[in-house]
Amino acid sequence: MGVRKRERAEQIKEANKSIAFAKLNNCPTSPRKMRLVADLVRGQKVENALNILKFNTKEASGRLEKLLLSAIANWQAKNADANIEEAELFVKEIRVDGGAMLKRLRPAPQGRAHRIRKRSNHVTIVLGSNNNTQSN
């Protein structure tokens, strides 16, 4: 690895240490369905986002709620002395990327076969704070 590439990688690692985030990899839901729910909570305050996810009927909302609670726990681990209400946490970034795809064959008439693609996704939630009480 080159020097510039290594230095840039170290800068990114240091920046990730100061923010609170959580990742969910290989979630067996299509990215399109997950993005419908993710768009509802993007930019919302954490309390409001938890309420939206709790009372949403889609299956993806349960998984995102659990991921958001994990991101909040990660924030609390980094800022042990800070209070969630005073910090005014909000969902700074939520990203849904396509994951691995299982490919299957389904029999079709006249000796043919149709390909079935079982999609999965990766979700990343980044929390931000309006009051900059995060310690570096």
Side-chain angles (χ1 to χ4, degrees):
M1 183 184 291
V3 174
R4 281 182 292 178
K5 199 171 186 180
R6 187 179 316 111
E7 288 175 355
R8 180 67 181 141
E10 289 172 1
Q11 286 176 354
I12 291 171
K13 284 181 186 176
E14 287 299 318
N16 283 344
K17 286 181 183 176
S18 65
I19 62 173
F21 68 98
K23 290 173 72 173
L24 173 65
N25 286 331
N26 294 320
C27 179
T29 307
S30 74
R32 186 174 180 177
K33 290 178 184 176
M34 188 66 83
R35 280 189 199 107
L36 287 174
V37 181
D39 291 341
L40 295 174
V41 297
R42 185 175 286 119
Q44 298 282 338
K45 288 187 177 180
V46 168
E47 297 86 9
N48 192 14
L50 282 172
N51 287 333
I52 290 170
L53 292 174
K54 185 171 188 168
F55 295 109
N56 196 340
T57 58
K58 294 192 176 288
E59 182 188 354
S61 63
R63 294 180 174 149
L64 279 182
E65 180 184 8
K66 193 171 177 181
L67 185 65
L68 183 57
L69 289 172
S70 175
I72 293 169
N74 291 342
W75 183 86
Q76 284 178 330
K78 289 184 180 182
N79 305 300
D81 56 338
N83 191 0
I84 294 177
E85 288 82 20
E86 294 173 1
E88 296 180 12
L89 286 180
F90 68 99
V91 180
K92 184 176 182 180
E93 180 183 343
I94 182 165
R95 194 170 54 247
V96 180
D97 302 320
M101 202 180 313
L102 292 174
K103 294 179 180 173
R104 301 287 183 260
L105 292 177
R106 172 165 239 104
Q110 298 180 356
R112 291 181 303 220
H114 294 304
R115 181 175 288 162
I116 303 293
R117 294 185 305 264
K118 296 187 177 191
R119 300 174 189 269
S120 66
N121 63 56
H122 307 310
V123 186
T124 306
I125 290 183
V126 178
L127 297 182
S129 176
N130 286 340
N131 295 343
N132 293 324
T133 59
Q134 292 184 355
S135 60
N136 289 334

PDB file of all heavy atoms in Angstrom, residues 88-115:
ATOM      1  N   GLU A  88     -29.333  16.169  21.666  1.00  0.00           N
ATOM      2  CA  GLU A  88     -30.209  16.334  20.489  1.00  0.00           C
ATOM      3  C   GLU A  88     -29.702  15.508  19.314  1.00  0.00           C
ATOM      4  O   GLU A  88     -29.384  16.026  18.250  1.00  0.00           O
ATOM      5  CB  GLU A  88     -30.329  17.803  20.105  1.00  0.00           C
ATOM      6  CG  GLU A  88     -30.986  18.661  21.158  1.00  0.00           C
ATOM      7  CD  GLU A  88     -31.090  20.122  20.744  1.00  0.00           C
ATOM      8  OE1 GLU A  88     -30.860  20.418  19.550  1.00  0.00           O
ATOM      9  OE2 GLU A  88     -31.389  20.950  21.607  1.00  0.00           O
ATOM     10  N   LEU A  89     -29.624  14.207  19.515  1.00  0.00           N
ATOM     11  CA  LEU A  89     -29.167  13.299  18.461  1.00  0.00           C
ATOM     12  C   LEU A  89     -30.170  13.247  17.321  1.00  0.00           C
ATOM     13  O   LEU A  89     -31.383  13.298  17.545  1.00  0.00           O
ATOM     14  CB  LEU A  89     -28.984  11.891  19.020  1.00  0.00           C
ATOM     15  CG  LEU A  89     -27.783  11.640  19.900  1.00  0.00           C
ATOM     16  CD1 LEU A  89     -27.785  10.196  20.354  1.00  0.00           C
ATOM     17  CD2 LEU A  89     -26.513  11.937  19.157  1.00  0.00           C
ATOM     18  N   PHE A  90     -29.667  13.121  16.106  1.00  0.00           N
ATOM     19  CA  PHE A  90     -30.512  12.942  14.938  1.00  0.00           C
ATOM     20  C   PHE A  90     -29.832  11.999  13.962  1.00  0.00           C
ATOM     21  O   PHE A  90     -28.635  11.729  14.071  1.00  0.00           O
ATOM     22  CB  PHE A  90     -30.838  14.289  14.269  1.00  0.00           C
ATOM     23  CG  PHE A  90     -29.655  14.955  13.627  1.00  0.00           C
ATOM     24  CD1 PHE A  90     -29.441  14.861  12.255  1.00  0.00           C
ATOM     25  CD2 PHE A  90     -28.736  15.672  14.384  1.00  0.00           C
ATOM     26  CE1 PHE A  90     -28.354  15.467  11.662  1.00  0.00           C
ATOM     27  CE2 PHE A  90     -27.642  16.279  13.803  1.00  0.00           C
ATOM     28  CZ  PHE A  90     -27.456  16.182  12.439  1.00  0.00           C
ATOM     29  N   VAL A  91     -30.622  11.468  13.033  1.00  0.00           N
ATOM     30  CA  VAL A  91     -30.090  10.540  12.034  1.00  0.00           C
ATOM     31  C   VAL A  91     -29.423  11.379  10.953  1.00  0.00           C
ATOM     32  O   VAL A  91     -30.069  11.938  10.074  1.00  0.00           O
ATOM     33  CB  VAL A  91     -31.209   9.648  11.441  1.00  0.00           C
ATOM     34  CG1 VAL A  91     -30.638   8.696  10.416  1.00  0.00           C
ATOM     35  CG2 VAL A  91     -31.931   8.896  12.538  1.00  0.00           C
ATOM     36  N   LYS A  92     -28.107  11.481  11.040  1.00  0.00           N
ATOM     37  CA  LYS A  92     -27.343  12.321  10.115  1.00  0.00           C
ATOM     38  C   LYS A  92     -27.302  11.703   8.731  1.00  0.00           C
ATOM     39  O   LYS A  92     -27.458  12.398   7.727  1.00  0.00           O
ATOM     40  CB  LYS A  92     -25.933  12.500  10.670  1.00  0.00           C
ATOM     41  CG  LYS A  92     -25.047  13.409   9.875  1.00  0.00           C
ATOM     42  CD  LYS A  92     -23.715  13.572  10.574  1.00  0.00           C
ATOM     43  CE  LYS A  92     -22.805  14.513   9.823  1.00  0.00           C
ATOM     44  NZ  LYS A  92     -21.518  14.656  10.515  1.00  0.00           N
ATOM     45  N   GLU A  93     -27.088  10.399   8.691  1.00  0.00           N
ATOM     46  CA  GLU A  93     -26.955   9.713   7.395  1.00  0.00           C
ATOM     47  C   GLU A  93     -27.468   8.295   7.556  1.00  0.00           C
ATOM     48  O   GLU A  93     -27.207   7.639   8.556  1.00  0.00           O
ATOM     49  CB  GLU A  93     -25.482   9.698   6.989  1.00  0.00           C
ATOM     50  CG  GLU A  93     -25.194   9.030   5.683  1.00  0.00           C
ATOM     51  CD  GLU A  93     -23.695   8.999   5.388  1.00  0.00           C
ATOM     52  OE1 GLU A  93     -22.932   9.756   6.014  1.00  0.00           O
ATOM     53  OE2 GLU A  93     -23.302   8.190   4.532  1.00  0.00           O
ATOM     54  N   ILE A  94     -28.232   7.851   6.575  1.00  0.00           N
ATOM     55  CA  ILE A  94     -28.645   6.453   6.524  1.00  0.00           C
ATOM     56  C   ILE A  94     -28.484   6.005   5.082  1.00  0.00           C
ATOM     57  O   ILE A  94     -29.021   6.623   4.167  1.00  0.00           O
ATOM     58  CB  ILE A  94     -30.073   6.238   7.067  1.00  0.00           C
ATOM     59  CG1 ILE A  94     -30.442   4.772   7.038  1.00  0.00           C
ATOM     60  CG2 ILE A  94     -31.094   7.073   6.356  1.00  0.00           C
ATOM     61  CD1 ILE A  94     -31.646   4.428   7.870  1.00  0.00           C
ATOM     62  N   ARG A  95     -27.689   4.962   4.894  1.00  0.00           N
ATOM     63  CA  ARG A  95     -27.327   4.526   3.547  1.00  0.00           C
ATOM     64  C   ARG A  95     -27.699   3.063   3.376  1.00  0.00           C
ATOM     65  O   ARG A  95     -27.391   2.230   4.229  1.00  0.00           O
ATOM     66  CB  ARG A  95     -25.817   4.732   3.368  1.00  0.00           C
ATOM     67  CG  ARG A  95     -25.335   4.659   1.970  1.00  0.00           C
ATOM     68  CD  ARG A  95     -23.891   5.107   1.836  1.00  0.00           C
ATOM     69  NE  ARG A  95     -22.979   4.412   2.726  1.00  0.00           N
ATOM     70  CZ  ARG A  95     -22.337   4.977   3.734  1.00  0.00           C
ATOM     71  NH1 ARG A  95     -22.485   6.250   3.991  1.00  0.00           N
ATOM     72  NH2 ARG A  95     -21.519   4.282   4.499  1.00  0.00           N
ATOM     73  N   VAL A  96     -28.386   2.749   2.284  1.00  0.00           N
ATOM     74  CA  VAL A  96     -28.775   1.372   1.975  1.00  0.00           C
ATOM     75  C   VAL A  96     -28.096   0.984   0.672  1.00  0.00           C
ATOM     76  O   VAL A  96     -28.369   1.563  -0.381  1.00  0.00           O
ATOM     77  CB  VAL A  96     -30.303   1.232   1.845  1.00  0.00           C
ATOM     78  CG1 VAL A  96     -30.674  -0.202   1.539  1.00  0.00           C
ATOM     79  CG2 VAL A  96     -30.997   1.705   3.101  1.00  0.00           C
ATOM     80  N   ASP A  97     -27.202   0.008   0.737  1.00  0.00           N
ATOM     81  CA  ASP A  97     -26.471  -0.480  -0.430  1.00  0.00           C
ATOM     82  C   ASP A  97     -26.879  -1.912  -0.720  1.00  0.00           C
ATOM     83  O   ASP A  97     -27.294  -2.644   0.173  1.00  0.00           O
ATOM     84  CB  ASP A  97     -24.960  -0.431  -0.185  1.00  0.00           C
ATOM     85  CG  ASP A  97     -24.481   0.966   0.157  1.00  0.00           C
ATOM     86  OD1 ASP A  97     -24.972   1.921  -0.468  1.00  0.00           O
ATOM     87  OD2 ASP A  97     -23.627   1.091   1.047  1.00  0.00           O
ATOM     88  N   GLY A  98     -26.739  -2.317  -1.959  1.00  0.00           N
ATOM     89  CA  GLY A  98     -27.037  -3.690  -2.326  1.00  0.00           C
ATOM     90  C   GLY A  98     -26.005  -4.646  -1.774  1.00  0.00           C
ATOM     91  O   GLY A  98     -24.818  -4.341  -1.722  1.00  0.00           O
ATOM     92  N   GLY A  99     -26.458  -5.804  -1.353  1.00  0.00           N
ATOM     93  CA  GLY A  99     -25.560  -6.813  -0.807  1.00  0.00           C
ATOM     94  C   GLY A  99     -25.418  -7.989  -1.755  1.00  0.00           C
ATOM     95  O   GLY A  99     -25.654  -7.877  -2.957  1.00  0.00           O
ATOM     96  N   ALA A 100     -25.065  -9.117  -1.201  1.00  0.00           N
ATOM     97  CA  ALA A 100     -24.907 -10.323  -1.999  1.00  0.00           C
ATOM     98  C   ALA A 100     -26.265 -10.781  -2.524  1.00  0.00           C
ATOM     99  O   ALA A 100     -27.296 -10.558  -1.900  1.00  0.00           O
ATOM    100  CB  ALA A 100     -24.274 -11.420  -1.165  1.00  0.00           C
ATOM    101  N   MET A 101     -26.253 -11.436  -3.662  1.00  0.00           N
ATOM    102  CA  MET A 101     -27.488 -11.883  -4.291  1.00  0.00           C
ATOM    103  C   MET A 101     -27.448 -13.402  -4.458  1.00  0.00           C
ATOM    104  O   MET A 101     -26.515 -13.932  -5.036  1.00  0.00           O
ATOM    105  CB  MET A 101     -27.622 -11.209  -5.660  1.00  0.00           C
ATOM    106  CG  MET A 101     -29.020 -11.150  -6.183  1.00  0.00           C
ATOM    107  SD  MET A 101     -29.125 -10.357  -7.798  1.00  0.00           S
ATOM    108  CE  MET A 101     -28.170  -8.893  -7.618  1.00  0.00           C
ATOM    109  N   LEU A 102     -28.452 -14.071  -3.912  1.00  0.00           N
ATOM    110  CA  LEU A 102     -28.572 -15.512  -4.119  1.00  0.00           C
ATOM    111  C   LEU A 102     -29.294 -15.733  -5.431  1.00  0.00           C
ATOM    112  O   LEU A 102     -30.381 -15.187  -5.640  1.00  0.00           O
ATOM    113  CB  LEU A 102     -29.370 -16.153  -2.972  1.00  0.00           C
ATOM    114  CG  LEU A 102     -28.724 -16.157  -1.601  1.00  0.00           C
ATOM    115  CD1 LEU A 102     -29.706 -16.699  -0.579  1.00  0.00           C
ATOM    116  CD2 LEU A 102     -27.475 -16.995  -1.612  1.00  0.00           C
ATOM    117  N   LYS A 103     -28.734 -16.545  -6.289  1.00  0.00           N
ATOM    118  CA  LYS A 103     -29.355 -16.797  -7.589  1.00  0.00           C
ATOM    119  C   LYS A 103     -29.891 -18.214  -7.611  1.00  0.00           C
ATOM    120  O   LYS A 103     -29.164 -19.170  -7.350  1.00  0.00           O
ATOM    121  CB  LYS A 103     -28.345 -16.572  -8.708  1.00  0.00           C
ATOM    122  CG  LYS A 103     -27.928 -15.123  -8.784  1.00  0.00           C
ATOM    123  CD  LYS A 103     -26.928 -14.855  -9.855  1.00  0.00           C
ATOM    124  CE  LYS A 103     -26.563 -13.385  -9.854  1.00  0.00           C
ATOM    125  NZ  LYS A 103     -25.476 -13.109 -10.776  1.00  0.00           N
ATOM    126  N   ARG A 104     -31.174 -18.328  -7.915  1.00  0.00           N
ATOM    127  CA  ARG A 104     -31.853 -19.613  -7.965  1.00  0.00           C
ATOM    128  C   ARG A 104     -32.551 -19.764  -9.305  1.00  0.00           C
ATOM    129  O   ARG A 104     -32.792 -18.783  -9.998  1.00  0.00           O
ATOM    130  CB  ARG A 104     -32.895 -19.715  -6.837  1.00  0.00           C
ATOM    131  CG  ARG A 104     -32.335 -19.561  -5.440  1.00  0.00           C
ATOM    132  CD  ARG A 104     -31.561 -20.801  -5.052  1.00  0.00           C
ATOM    133  NE  ARG A 104     -31.051 -20.737  -3.697  1.00  0.00           N
ATOM    134  CZ  ARG A 104     -29.815 -20.430  -3.378  1.00  0.00           C
ATOM    135  NH1 ARG A 104     -28.949 -20.116  -4.320  1.00  0.00           N
ATOM    136  NH2 ARG A 104     -29.431 -20.425  -2.131  1.00  0.00           N
ATOM    137  N   LEU A 105     -32.910 -20.994  -9.653  1.00  0.00           N
ATOM    138  CA  LEU A 105     -33.656 -21.259 -10.885  1.00  0.00           C
ATOM    139  C   LEU A 105     -35.034 -21.790 -10.529  1.00  0.00           C
ATOM    140  O   LEU A 105     -35.178 -22.637  -9.648  1.00  0.00           O
ATOM    141  CB  LEU A 105     -32.918 -22.272 -11.760  1.00  0.00           C
ATOM    142  CG  LEU A 105     -31.610 -21.774 -12.368  1.00  0.00           C
ATOM    143  CD1 LEU A 105     -30.938 -22.891 -13.149  1.00  0.00           C
ATOM    144  CD2 LEU A 105     -31.844 -20.580 -13.260  1.00  0.00           C
ATOM    145  N   ARG A 106     -36.034 -21.276 -11.225  1.00  0.00           N
ATOM    146  CA  ARG A 106     -37.402 -21.731 -11.034  1.00  0.00           C
ATOM    147  C   ARG A 106     -37.862 -22.369 -12.341  1.00  0.00           C
ATOM    148  O   ARG A 106     -37.723 -21.771 -13.400  1.00  0.00           O
ATOM    149  CB  ARG A 106     -38.296 -20.564 -10.656  1.00  0.00           C
ATOM    150  CG  ARG A 106     -39.758 -20.926 -10.631  1.00  0.00           C
ATOM    151  CD  ARG A 106     -40.573 -19.865  -9.914  1.00  0.00           C
ATOM    152  NE  ARG A 106     -41.247 -20.492  -8.785  1.00  0.00           N
ATOM    153  CZ  ARG A 106     -40.904 -20.379  -7.528  1.00  0.00           C
ATOM    154  NH1 ARG A 106     -39.874 -19.668  -7.205  1.00  0.00           N
ATOM    155  NH2 ARG A 106     -41.581 -20.970  -6.588  1.00  0.00           N
ATOM    156  N   PRO A 107     -38.411 -23.569 -12.287  1.00  0.00           N
ATOM    157  CA  PRO A 107     -38.870 -24.219 -13.521  1.00  0.00           C
ATOM    158  C   PRO A 107     -39.971 -23.406 -14.205  1.00  0.00           C
ATOM    159  O   PRO A 107     -40.831 -22.830 -13.544  1.00  0.00           O
ATOM    160  CB  PRO A 107     -39.418 -25.561 -13.040  1.00  0.00           C
ATOM    161  CG  PRO A 107     -38.809 -25.777 -11.713  1.00  0.00           C
ATOM    162  CD  PRO A 107     -38.571 -24.430 -11.119  1.00  0.00           C
ATOM    163  N   ALA A 108     -39.911 -23.382 -15.512  1.00  0.00           N
ATOM    164  CA  ALA A 108     -40.898 -22.673 -16.318  1.00  0.00           C
ATOM    165  C   ALA A 108     -41.438 -23.638 -17.372  1.00  0.00           C
ATOM    166  O   ALA A 108     -40.852 -24.698 -17.600  1.00  0.00           O
ATOM    167  CB  ALA A 108     -40.249 -21.452 -16.972  1.00  0.00           C
ATOM    168  N   PRO A 109     -42.539 -23.296 -18.013  1.00  0.00           N
ATOM    169  CA  PRO A 109     -43.130 -24.206 -19.004  1.00  0.00           C
ATOM    170  C   PRO A 109     -42.206 -24.478 -20.197  1.00  0.00           C
ATOM    171  O   PRO A 109     -41.314 -23.686 -20.511  1.00  0.00           O
ATOM    172  CB  PRO A 109     -44.377 -23.463 -19.470  1.00  0.00           C
ATOM    173  CG  PRO A 109     -44.658 -22.446 -18.444  1.00  0.00           C
ATOM    174  CD  PRO A 109     -43.371 -22.114 -17.794  1.00  0.00           C
ATOM    175  N   GLN A 110     -42.422 -25.615 -20.814  1.00  0.00           N
ATOM    176  CA  GLN A 110     -41.750 -26.028 -22.045  1.00  0.00           C
ATOM    177  C   GLN A 110     -40.236 -26.176 -21.846  1.00  0.00           C
ATOM    178  O   GLN A 110     -39.439 -25.818 -22.713  1.00  0.00           O
ATOM    179  CB  GLN A 110     -42.048 -25.060 -23.185  1.00  0.00           C
ATOM    180  CG  GLN A 110     -43.535 -25.010 -23.522  1.00  0.00           C
ATOM    181  CD  GLN A 110     -43.844 -24.064 -24.656  1.00  0.00           C
ATOM    182  OE1 GLN A 110     -42.967 -23.377 -25.150  1.00  0.00           O
ATOM    183  NE2 GLN A 110     -45.105 -24.040 -25.051  1.00  0.00           N
ATOM    184  N   GLY A 111     -39.835 -26.690 -20.691  1.00  0.00           N
ATOM    185  CA  GLY A 111     -38.432 -27.005 -20.453  1.00  0.00           C
ATOM    186  C   GLY A 111     -37.532 -25.829 -20.191  1.00  0.00           C
ATOM    187  O   GLY A 111     -36.315 -25.981 -20.182  1.00  0.00           O
ATOM    188  N   ARG A 112     -38.098 -24.682 -19.994  1.00  0.00           N
ATOM    189  CA  ARG A 112     -37.270 -23.492 -19.726  1.00  0.00           C
ATOM    190  C   ARG A 112     -37.133 -23.275 -18.221  1.00  0.00           C
ATOM    191  O   ARG A 112     -37.755 -23.967 -17.418  1.00  0.00           O
ATOM    192  CB  ARG A 112     -37.900 -22.266 -20.384  1.00  0.00           C
ATOM    193  CG  ARG A 112     -37.814 -22.318 -21.902  1.00  0.00           C
ATOM    194  CD  ARG A 112     -38.423 -21.094 -22.502  1.00  0.00           C
ATOM    195  NE  ARG A 112     -39.815 -20.953 -22.045  1.00  0.00           N
ATOM    196  CZ  ARG A 112     -40.807 -20.566 -22.830  1.00  0.00           C
ATOM    197  NH1 ARG A 112     -40.587 -20.297 -24.092  1.00  0.00           N
ATOM    198  NH2 ARG A 112     -42.022 -20.442 -22.358  1.00  0.00           N
ATOM    199  N   ALA A 113     -36.332 -22.275 -17.847  1.00  0.00           N
ATOM    200  CA  ALA A 113     -36.158 -21.925 -16.443  1.00  0.00           C
ATOM    201  C   ALA A 113     -36.039 -20.412 -16.321  1.00  0.00           C
ATOM    202  O   ALA A 113     -35.499 -19.748 -17.204  1.00  0.00           O
ATOM    203  CB  ALA A 113     -34.910 -22.590 -15.882  1.00  0.00           C
ATOM    204  N   HIS A 114     -36.593 -19.894 -15.246  1.00  0.00           N
ATOM    205  CA  HIS A 114     -36.474 -18.455 -14.949  1.00  0.00           C
ATOM    206  C   HIS A 114     -35.527 -18.281 -13.779  1.00  0.00           C
ATOM    207  O   HIS A 114     -35.535 -19.077 -12.848  1.00  0.00           O
ATOM    208  CB  HIS A 114     -37.838 -17.854 -14.604  1.00  0.00           C
ATOM    209  CG  HIS A 114     -38.805 -17.858 -15.746  1.00  0.00           C
ATOM    210  ND1 HIS A 114     -38.532 -17.282 -16.963  1.00  0.00           N
ATOM    211  CD2 HIS A 114     -40.045 -18.384 -15.847  1.00  0.00           C
ATOM    212  CE1 HIS A 114     -39.565 -17.440 -17.767  1.00  0.00           C
ATOM    213  NE2 HIS A 114     -40.502 -18.120 -17.110  1.00  0.00           N
ATOM    214  N   ARG A 115     -34.737 -17.223 -13.834  1.00  0.00           N
ATOM    215  CA  ARG A 115     -33.793 -16.945 -12.759  1.00  0.00           C
ATOM    216  C   ARG A 115     -34.492 -16.143 -11.662  1.00  0.00           C
ATOM    217  O   ARG A 115     -35.153 -15.146 -11.928  1.00  0.00           O
ATOM    218  CB  ARG A 115     -32.605 -16.167 -13.294  1.00  0.00           C
ATOM    219  CG  ARG A 115     -31.560 -15.868 -12.224  1.00  0.00           C
ATOM    220  CD  ARG A 115     -30.345 -15.219 -12.799  1.00  0.00           C
ATOM    221  NE  ARG A 115     -29.589 -16.200 -13.556  1.00  0.00           N
ATOM    222  CZ  ARG A 115     -28.672 -15.889 -14.456  1.00  0.00           C
ATOM    223  NH1 ARG A 115     -28.426 -14.637 -14.727  1.00  0.00           N
ATOM    224  NH2 ARG A 115     -28.020 -16.830 -15.086  1.00  0.00           N
TER     225      ARG A 115
END
